[in-house]
Amino acid sequence: MTAIRLLLVDDDPLVRAGLTLMMGGADDIEIVGEAADGAEVEELVERTRPDIVLMDIRMPSVDGLAATERLRSRPDAPQVVLLTTFHADEQVLRALRAGAAGFVLKDTPPAEIVDAVRRVATGDPVLSPTVTRQLMRHAADSAADTRRTRARARVEALNEREREVAVAVGRGLSNAEIAAGLFMSVATVKTHVSRVLTKLDLNNRTQIALLAHDAGLLEESGEDGS
């Protein structure tokens, strides 16, 4: 099995040391580089070719948001997982819309951060359970009417089965969980997810989840948590 190539980006050397120690115990993860600021990320990505960038949001020169936007505009960009100390913020939403694969809180247990890297490597979204509901509600509340109208127009491109898969992705389910819930194979789920990404011109599952929330698909399915 090929190791997951990981680039660590945080301005705090103690945090980087902790992440290195944490990831070093995983046989399937290889740390290929470290950076102390977002300004260093593009050059390091070019040189080390990571699969995933695990990056702090708040850094003094170029923050994780700007670095994410720059990276995700590149062809064959690595996936980005953001580290944050706060629970819900418009900046996090901006990063997800820019194409970040998700975010985890810095106080997340080490095993869960390692698992987050593995999940992103397999194409699953990563949103810390403690912040997912807040983030999605925040997304729905900001300029809700305009965004819902636009989102609904976009999801019209999906057929019924693809909409069901988009809703399941919006609920944060893995491919295996979607397959079990919709009575299809994991391979078929992956095919539907790929079609949804292509039809909606999205980068990853997190963006599917945001669009499903924006369009009100989870409310229609009775999975909005209300």
Side-chain angles (χ1 to χ4, degrees), residues 165-206:
V165 170
V167 167
V169 170
R171 292 171 56 201
L173 301 182
S174 68
N175 286 338
E177 290 168 332
I178 296 171
L182 296 180
F183 306 103
M184 61 177 72
S185 69
V186 172
T188 301
V189 173
K190 290 180 179 179
T191 297
H192 282 307
V193 170
S194 295
R195 288 175 180 168
V196 171
L197 290 170
T198 299
K199 284 187 176 182
L200 301 181
D201 191 27
L202 301 174
N203 291 321
N204 55 46
R205 294 167 68 103
T206 303

Side-chain angles (χ1 to χ4, degrees), residues 57-69:
I57 286 183
R58 293 179 174 175
M59 291 180 286
S61 179
V62 175
D63 64 25
L65 300 172
T68 296
E69 290 170 342

Side-chain angles (χ1 to χ4, degrees), residues 202-215:
L202 301 174
N203 291 321
N204 55 46
R205 294 167 68 103
T206 303
Q207 290 185 325
I208 294 177
L210 287 170
L211 188 62
H213 278 269
D214 287 348

Side-chain angles (χ1 to χ4, degrees), residues 19-34:
L19 290 172
T20 298
L21 182 64
M22 187 187 308
M23 299 297 170
D27 294 336
D28 57 341
I29 298 175
E30 176 188 1
I31 298 175
V32 296
E34 296 182 19

Side-chain angles (χ1 to χ4, degrees), residues 32-52:
V32 296
E34 296 182 19
D37 192 83
E40 306 170 39
V41 171
E42 285 189 277
E43 187 275 331
L44 270 175
V45 164
E46 188 70 30
R47 180 156 51 87
T48 63
R49 300 292 180 181
D51 300 307
I52 298 171

Side-chain angles (χ1 to χ4, degrees), residues 100-124:
F103 70 97
V104 293
L105 297 176
K106 284 190 174 181
D107 60 2
T108 298
E112 292 183 21
I113 296 181
V114 173
D115 183 61
V117 170
R118 290 176 175 143
R119 287 182 59 189
V120 169
T122 62
D124 278 346

